[in-house]
Amino acid sequence: MSSAVDRAALWIDSLRRRYPLLLEELAPGTGRTFREVRGGGPAASTVAPVRLYVSDALRDVGDGVVELEEAVRDRLGLRRISAAPVPVRLRRLTELLDVLRDRDMPDLAAHVEEETRRMANRCARALGDPEQLVRLPGRCPACDSVSLRAFPERGVAMCVNPPCRHVLDEATGDEMDDETGDETGDAA
């Protein structure tokens, strides 16, 4: 269980770093402006349009953090706590992980890990962050190519050769097959 708690702590840290970047992306005065183009287009000095996917990600992550903190506190038998901004709630969730380490609740630890991973990935996608890849030495045991890569954020290693996609960590193999697409093979 402690490994699920440790992984959840990493995902919360990722959220703490990325959430403010989402706010910056949504803020109106980011300096991005359009000039009027001959034949139509935005008027001079028009502020860049709001990107709805960033707004949706902010709402999804904000709601998710609130619900997760309340659920964890409820499950641990702790009293409700006052409303707070998302960064404060993330700090409080990190503190709750210490309580979770002391209790034998593997299902709750797995839930916290899964939800924080989902929200961190949503932030990363909205920000356009590519997933980090680490080249691994050796050859794929299935296809013998030198296309082995580690995905630290997912905690898995696999062959990125498109016809192969052999997963070295079978515990997350089914999840990897669903999440990987052609862009993973292109990143190699």
Side-chain angles (χ1 to χ4, degrees), residues 53-69:
Y53 64 91
V54 174
S55 175
D56 289 345
L58 273 170
R59 183 183 37 84
D60 178 45
V61 170
D63 292 349
V65 168
V66 169
E67 291 170 9
L68 184 61
E69 182 190 23

Side-chain angles (χ1 to χ4, degrees), residues 10-77:
L10 292 173
W11 290 116
I12 291 172
D13 184 53
S14 176
L15 276 169
R16 289 173 75 172
R17 285 182 282 111
R18 288 182 170 141
Y19 188 80
L21 298 175
L22 278 179
L23 292 172
E24 288 176 19
E25 285 293 314
L26 195 63
T30 58
R32 295 175 300 142
T33 58
F34 293 114
R35 300 270 180 227
E36 187 169 348
V37 179
R38 183 176 289 241
S45 71
T46 300
V47 175
V50 172
R51 290 173 296 167
L52 293 177
Y53 64 91
V54 174
S55 175
D56 289 345
L58 273 170
R59 183 183 37 84
D60 178 45
V61 170
D63 292 349
V65 168
V66 169
E67 291 170 9
L68 184 61
E69 182 190 23
E70 289 175 356
V72 170
R73 292 188 72 77
D74 184 53
R75 181 78 189 279
L76 292 173

Side-chain angles (χ1 to χ4, degrees), residues 41-161:
S45 71
T46 300
V47 175
V50 172
R51 290 173 296 167
L52 293 177
Y53 64 91
V54 174
S55 175
D56 289 345
L58 273 170
R59 183 183 37 84
D60 178 45
V61 170
D63 292 349
V65 168
V66 169
E67 291 170 9
L68 184 61
E69 182 190 23
E70 289 175 356
V72 170
R73 292 188 72 77
D74 184 53
R75 181 78 189 279
L76 292 173
L78 303 172
R79 65 177 176 80
R80 294 195 95 152
I81 199 160
S82 63
V86 170
V88 173
R89 287 182 180 271
L90 288 170
R91 181 184 46 78
R92 294 190 312 210
L93 266 172
T94 301
E95 293 167 1
L96 290 173
L97 290 179
D98 292 334
V99 176
L100 191 54
R101 270 188 184 87
D102 297 336
R103 302 197 184 176
D104 187 25
M105 301 175 123
D107 57 329
L108 182 58
H111 176 69
V112 172
E113 177 193 358
E114 181 180 317
E115 283 299 302
T116 53
R117 176 177 47 95
R118 180 192 65 78
M119 290 184 284
N121 286 336
R122 179 79 190 262
C123 280
R125 282 191 308 272
L127 291 168
D129 290 348
E131 184 173 15
Q132 179 183 4
L133 291 173
V134 178
R135 183 178 215 150
L136 297 176
R139 295 186 169 274
C140 173
C143 72
D144 203 35
S145 75
V146 290
S147 301
L148 294 178
R149 303 293 184 273
F151 297 81
E153 290 186 0
R154 296 185 209 179
V156 72
M158 69 179 289
C159 176
V160 295
N161 182 6

